[in-house]
Every structure is written in structure tokens, then in C-alpha cells.
Amino acid sequence: MTAAGRGNLLASRLIHRAHTESGWFLYAPSCALVEADRTRPGTAEHLAALPGMIVLDLDLPAALAVARQETWATAHCLHAAQPTPDRPDGAIVATTEPKRWDGEPVRILDLTP
């Protein structure tokens, strides 16, 4: 999320695509928004206001997942990436830190420039 605020071209393209293409959404786990905002103040408010951005609440299943991980942001992202009835294939984690996700049961999209 902070990559978009730092001018990452690939992150900007994802945001643009979610804004312009019907049926395309970006999911923002609320715990990851908090971490991004701590790193770069204003990020959470900006991203949450974008069309095509869906902020995922910290519901009970997500809260239980948070208890099992080192950081709340990582845990909420892992939880959000798992298959659900709305997203039977799960979601893809877009990241500029792909090594952070080594060994985790998620698909990633490497946004490293």
C-alpha cells in the first residue's frame, strides 16, 4: 500500500485498473491499512477513498487469524487471500516484499520495480 504512495508504477496500474474496469477490485485489509498509514501518514484515508477499493473489516475469523501471526497486517492479508464464497480462488497479495511471503499459502504479485 505504501508502494502506491511512493509512485510505484505497477501499484498505480492496479489502482487504475480497479477504477476503470467493471468487476475489478482491490481488497485492503484494515490491519494492513493501519500499518501502511503508520509508515506513510495519509495512506489509509487516500486508499480507502478510491473507487474499486474494498476495505476488509477485522471480523471474528480475521481476528482469530491475527492471533497466529507476527504482525496484524500480515495476518489480515493472509486471511483475506484465502478462498471465500465471494472469492473461490482466493485473492492475490500484491507486494514489493515478495520474500516476506515465502512459505505462506498465498499467491503473490511482485510489484518490485
Side-chain angles (χ1 to χ4, degrees):
M1 294 180 186
T2 55
R6 291 184 179 133
N8 181 292
L9 183 61
L10 297 173
S12 294
R13 285 181 181 168
L14 283 176
I15 292 167
H16 176 74
R17 191 166 187 183
H19 177 71
T20 60
E21 288 193 36
S22 176
W24 239 84
F25 302 98
L26 294 175
Y27 299 97
S30 55
C31 291
L33 276 175
V34 169
E35 187 174 305
D37 205 70
R38 286 179 178 165
T39 301
R40 188 175 175 88
T43 299
E45 186 175 2
H46 175 72
L47 290 177
L50 293 172
M53 185 72 65
I54 297 173
V55 177
L56 301 176
D57 294 331
L58 185 64
D59 58 8
L60 178 59
L64 296 174
V66 164
R68 294 185 214 111
Q69 294 294 326
E70 187 174 319
T71 71
W72 286 39
T74 300
H76 205 181
C77 288
L78 283 169
H79 175 74
Q82 300 309 306
T84 66
D86 293 339
R87 297 181 308 275
D89 293 329
I92 298 170
V93 175
T95 181
T96 57
E97 299 176 23
K99 295 288 184 205
R100 178 182 193 181
W101 301 97
D102 283 352
E104 298 293 351
V106 296
R107 297 174 294 154
I108 64 161
L109 175 61
D110 187 352
L111 299 179
T112 306

